[in-house]
Amino acid sequence: MAQIIDGKKISAQVKAEVAKEVEALSQKGISVGLAVVIVGNNPASRVYVNNKKKACAVCGIQSYEYALPEDTTEQQLLELVDQLNHDPKVNGILVQLPVPPQIDDHKIIAAIAPEKDVDAFTEGNVGKIMIGEYNLLPCTPAGCLDLIDSTGVSIEGKNCVVIGRSNIVGKPMAMLLLHRNGTVTICHSRTRNLREICAQADILVAAVGKAGFVTADMVKEGAVVIDVGMNRNAEGKLCGDVDFAAVEKKAGYITPVPGGVGPMTIATLMRNTVTAAKEQNGLLLYS
Ligand code: NAP
């Protein structure tokens, strides 16, 4: 039976560390602020934004919410981003995605000042992650890495399989595992022999977006299984990509949904915000 990796507990530890750093910065006269921008009335986005604001409060980070109406134009949002880029009390800018269809999210992300890009979505920050010289972490993959590390299982030399190749999860996840000397395979919708490849994984990360996608026959005995998926099952209940009940019996370690990767994504965002504040005050290496 797998050990459950407790994302809530580990994220609370990360936030406690961040809170200490925020306090230490405040002793130096440096305050830390995160601007959270939400456009429209997407209920899931509203939940995410509220959770991010709550996490800011726990960490002592000032959060500034900008809630814009559904019919906001791309130009209006670009103007707000520009204003926040120049606002000295704002160290990090987060535009909650998705934005309504009249707005090109690529243009919005590109407009965020790289040093305030706490999601690490801009081209420059993605490039830094690629070459391994970065301060701002890709939030979800970095959270997954913390969860893997919490098991005590070393990544070095292990077969690591990532299912999914999105820019926000799959690709940066693979890159972080590679930087940690994992032997990494990325799978996607065109992958042949997916089951066999996954069944070789010592560390399996599922970021597909399909409930129950990873079944027990795809999992190696004793593997570390990280479930990034956030889906609704037939009953409308939040669930991951992994058939938890079956895989739990075979894996060595497994993350639950909810209570696994989700809280870690937010904790990493907090960590990035304090990192951004340090970088903007000349307190970091790669600035
Ligand atoms: P995405 O952009 O839709 O990417 C999904 C990936 O899964 C794609 O690369 C796709 O392959 C692959 N895929 C789809 N069907 C497949 C199949 N049958 N076999 C193999 N691969 C398949 O999604 P995402 O943004 O990466 O998110 C993935 C999941 O994680 C979603 O459920 C999302 O809600 C969740 N998520 C959670 C958090 C969190 O904090 N917990 C954060 C971000 C995302 P192709 O590239 O070939 O289409």
Side-chain angles (χ1 to χ4, degrees), residues 140 163-166 168-169 188-189 194 207-210 213 228-231 261-262 265:
T140 300
I163 322 175
R165 56 174 165 178
S166 70
I168 61 167
V169 189
H188 46 79
S189 66
L194 181 79
V208 186
K210 291 184 176 163
F213 184 84
V228 182
M230 290 226 274
N231 314 296
V261 174
T265 298

Side-chain angles (χ1 to χ4, degrees), residues 66-120:
Y66 295 83
L68 306 183
E70 186 77 34
D71 62 357
T72 299
T73 64
E74 188 175 275
Q75 187 55 34
Q76 286 169 327
L77 185 52
L78 284 170
E79 281 166 17
L80 174 60
V81 169
D82 185 57
Q83 176 197 321
L84 298 172
N85 282 343
H86 292 96
D87 186 338
K89 69 179 186 301
V90 170
N91 302 104
I93 302 169
L94 179 136
V95 178
Q96 185 64 48
L97 300 178
V99 285
Q102 72 275 16
I103 300 173
D104 179 350
D105 54 1
H106 291 106
K107 272 195 199 165
I108 303 303
I109 290 166
I112 297 173
E115 69 276 13
K116 296 191 179 186
D117 168 31
V118 283
D119 267 329

Side-chain angles (χ1 to χ4, degrees), residues 23-244:
E23 175 57 29
L25 285 173
S26 94
Q27 303 283 328
K28 294 185 173 145
I30 298 168
S31 67
V32 183
L34 175 67
V36 184
V37 181
I38 178 169
V39 186
N41 311 308
N42 181 325
S45 292
R46 174 39 69 194
V47 172
Y48 297 145
V49 163
N50 287 349
N51 288 342
K52 287 165 188 175
K53 284 166 60 186
K54 274 187 211 155
C56 281
V58 168
C59 295
I61 294 172
Q62 290 295 320
S63 65
Y64 306 101
E65 180 179 313
Y66 295 83
L68 306 183
E70 186 77 34
D71 62 357
T72 299
T73 64
E74 188 175 275
Q75 187 55 34
Q76 286 169 327
L77 185 52
L78 284 170
E79 281 166 17
L80 174 60
V81 169
D82 185 57
Q83 176 197 321
L84 298 172
N85 282 343
H86 292 96
D87 186 338
K89 69 179 186 301
V90 170
N91 302 104
I93 302 169
L94 179 136
V95 178
Q96 185 64 48
L97 300 178
V99 285
Q102 72 275 16
I103 300 173
D104 179 350
D105 54 1
H106 291 106
K107 272 195 199 165
I108 303 303
I109 290 166
I112 297 173
E115 69 276 13
K116 296 191 179 186
D117 168 31
V118 283
D119 267 329
F121 283 170
T122 58
E123 287 174 8
N125 285 327
V126 171
K128 287 183 180 183
I129 291 161
M130 186 87 178
I131 60 173
E133 291 185 1
Y134 54 94
N135 290 321
L136 296 173
L137 304 160
C139 292
T140 300
C144 293
L145 211 58
D146 282 343
L147 293 174
I148 297 167
D149 285 339
S150 77
T151 66
V153 171
S154 162
I155 297 167
E156 180 156 337
K158 298 284 169 56
N159 276 342
C160 304
V161 174
V162 179
I163 322 175
R165 56 174 165 178
S166 70
N167 288 334
I168 61 167
V169 189
K171 284 184 205 160
M173 184 73 245
M175 204 49 62
L176 296 194
L177 290 164
L178 187 62
H179 290 321
R180 295 284 295 277
N181 298 320
T183 302
V184 184
T185 306
I186 307 175
C187 297
H188 46 79
S189 66
R190 315 287 172 90
T191 298
R192 290 183 196 165
N193 305 324
L194 181 79
R195 195 199 71 76
E196 287 80 2
I197 295 168
C198 293
Q200 301 279 321
D202 302 303
I203 297 168
L204 179 64
V205 181
V208 186
K210 291 184 176 163
F213 184 84
V214 175
T215 48
D217 61 330
M218 294 166 71
V219 175
K220 184 176 171 179
E221 199 81 45
V224 178
V225 178
I226 306 293
D227 190 351
V228 182
M230 290 226 274
N231 314 296
R232 297 272 165 195
N233 66 12
E235 294 85 50
K237 222 178 122 203
L238 188 65
C239 63
D241 289 342
V242 176
D243 177 357
F244 186 88

